[in-house]
């Protein structure tokens, strides 16, 4: 797939879900329908939560290590490497750091908005 490979789609689902939940929570807590759009810190919290969730489940989503296989006819050994999961060509194992960096940038940009 062009956008994701393997189980990389999980990054989009978890990230989008965290952002939507942050919007609903911030609007419910402040009784202001425009609070989420006016402030960046709920988005920063959502990105940090998505980074934590992906960090915790990434070992379940990553493929197993390569296996050594022997051909019965030729007795030749070779390795089978499973394809790694990625989203926008970034490996799944890197996405928690990317989301955490986005969270920090959003938190730093909050006073300037």
């Amino acid at each position: 797939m062009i956008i994701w490979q393997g189980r990389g789609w999980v990054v989009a689902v978890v990230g989008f879900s965290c952002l939507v939940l942050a919007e609903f929570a911030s609007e419910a807590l402040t009784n202001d329908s425009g609070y989420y759009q006016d402030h960046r810190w709920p988005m920063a919290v959502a990105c940090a939560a998505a980074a934590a969730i992906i960090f915790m489940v990434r070992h379940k989503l990553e493929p197993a290590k390569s296996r050594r296989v022997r051909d019965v006819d030729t007795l030749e050994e070779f390795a089978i490497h499973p394809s790694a999961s990625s989203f926008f060509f970034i490996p799944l194992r890197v996405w928690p750091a990317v989301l955490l960096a986005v969270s920090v940038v959003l938190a730093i940009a909050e006073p300037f908005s």
Side-chain angles (χ1 to χ4, degrees), residues 13-64:
V13 170
V14 169
F16 182 74
S17 300
C18 287
L19 288 170
V20 168
L21 287 173
E23 181 171 9
F24 288 145
S26 65
E27 289 177 1
L29 292 173
T30 62
N31 293 326
D32 181 10
S33 62
Y35 188 83
Y36 182 79
Q37 288 77 18
D38 295 337
H39 297 85
R40 297 183 194 269
W41 73 264
M43 294 177 218
V45 171
C47 287
I53 291 169
I54 293 170
F55 181 80
M56 289 187 288
V57 299
R58 72 170 192 219
H59 67 279
K60 296 285 185 188
L61 300 175
E62 283 294 310

Side-chain angles (χ1 to χ4, degrees), residues 21-113:
L21 287 173
E23 181 171 9
F24 288 145
S26 65
E27 289 177 1
L29 292 173
T30 62
N31 293 326
D32 181 10
S33 62
Y35 188 83
Y36 182 79
Q37 288 77 18
D38 295 337
H39 297 85
R40 297 183 194 269
W41 73 264
M43 294 177 218
V45 171
C47 287
I53 291 169
I54 293 170
F55 181 80
M56 289 187 288
V57 299
R58 72 170 192 219
H59 67 279
K60 296 285 185 188
L61 300 175
E62 283 294 310
K65 302 289 183 197
S66 63
R67 298 182 318 160
R68 304 281 304 162
V69 182
R70 181 178 299 188
D71 187 0
V72 178
D73 296 332
T74 64
L75 299 177
E76 180 182 356
E77 284 192 19
F78 55 95
I80 297 177
H81 302 285
S83 62
S85 298
S86 64
F87 184 66
F88 283 113
F89 307 107
I90 299 173
L92 185 65
R93 61 178 157 59
V94 177
W95 271 103
V98 170
L99 289 169
L100 199 57
V102 169
S103 177
V104 168
V105 168
L106 287 171
I108 290 171
E110 173 68 23
F112 302 109
S113 63

